[in-house]
Amino acid sequence: PDLLKNRPKSDAPASSIPDEMVPQRIFETVAKLSPSYQRQVLAQAEQLLQSGGGAAAQADKKQKPKVQGTKVLDRSGNVEPVTRLDIRVGKIVSCEKHPDADALYLEQIDVGEAEPRQVISGLANFIPLEEMEGRMVTVL
């Protein structure tokens, strides 16, 4: 990008910065620029994302995640983060005994969607029915 051609020399070359420190270094460096240059950097970064992320991202896309047992590992060998999971907090709006099972509850949980989610849980042997309604719960 044009902005990077005339940048001042930094203490350490970008290639020597550990991968986990790159976002912080970008933030610190861009924060020192004037707002008009910050907008230009942002525009160029958005263009890179739209065009596929540049050469490094293209190389990363070609690499398949390594599978070790049942754990999916990223290219650094770390377990894939749980950010892909849609975990929500909801409130139990109604709860009743399941008609076909003594150990199950049939619950309606408001998680902010158009309709409450219907969930069946095995909590009947552990939590009294009266304590279920109105409780906050996590839903996956």
Side-chain angles (χ1 to χ4, degrees), residues 3-23:
L3 271 179
L4 301 178
K5 289 179 183 174
N6 298 324
R7 73 183 192 279
K9 302 296 181 204
S10 63
D11 296 341
S15 61
S16 68
I17 300 170
D19 288 349
E20 63 273 2
M21 296 300 296
V22 171

Side-chain angles (χ1 to χ4, degrees), residues 80-86:
E80 188 72 26
V82 296
T83 56
R84 293 183 180 184
L85 299 176
D86 184 15

Side-chain angles (χ1 to χ4, degrees), residues 81-91 107 109-111 113 117-121 136-140:
V82 296
T83 56
R84 293 183 180 184
L85 299 176
D86 184 15
I87 301 173
R88 298 185 186 204
V89 175
K91 185 174 186 176
E107 305 154 19
I109 302 176
D110 179 12
V111 291
E113 298 170 337
R117 285 193 191 184
Q118 184 173 7
V119 175
I120 297 173
S121 68
M136 300 298 285
V137 294
T138 56
V139 179
L140 180 63

Side-chain angles (χ1 to χ4, degrees), residues 87-106:
I87 301 173
R88 298 185 186 204
V89 175
K91 185 174 186 176
I92 300 175
V93 292
S94 71
C95 183
E96 57 190 48
K97 285 281 226 177
H98 192 282
D100 299 329
D102 293 334
L104 300 178
Y105 283 142
L106 180 62

Side-chain angles (χ1 to χ4, degrees), residues 15-81:
S15 61
S16 68
I17 300 170
D19 288 349
E20 63 273 2
M21 296 300 296
V22 171
Q24 179 65 32
R25 181 69 179 272
I26 291 170
F27 179 77
E28 291 170 353
T29 305
V30 172
K32 295 175 186 175
L33 298 173
S34 68
S36 62
Y37 280 120
Q38 289 176 351
R39 285 186 195 89
Q40 290 177 22
V41 169
L42 178 60
Q44 288 182 353
E46 288 171 344
Q47 286 176 350
L48 285 172
L49 285 173
Q50 290 174 353
S51 68
Q58 292 297 331
D60 289 346
K61 287 180 185 176
K62 292 177 184 175
Q63 292 180 353
K64 301 278 189 231
K66 300 171 192 142
V67 178
Q68 185 180 40
T70 58
K71 296 178 182 177
V72 176
L73 304 179
D74 64 13
R75 67 173 193 249
S76 302
N78 299 321
V79 175
E80 188 72 26

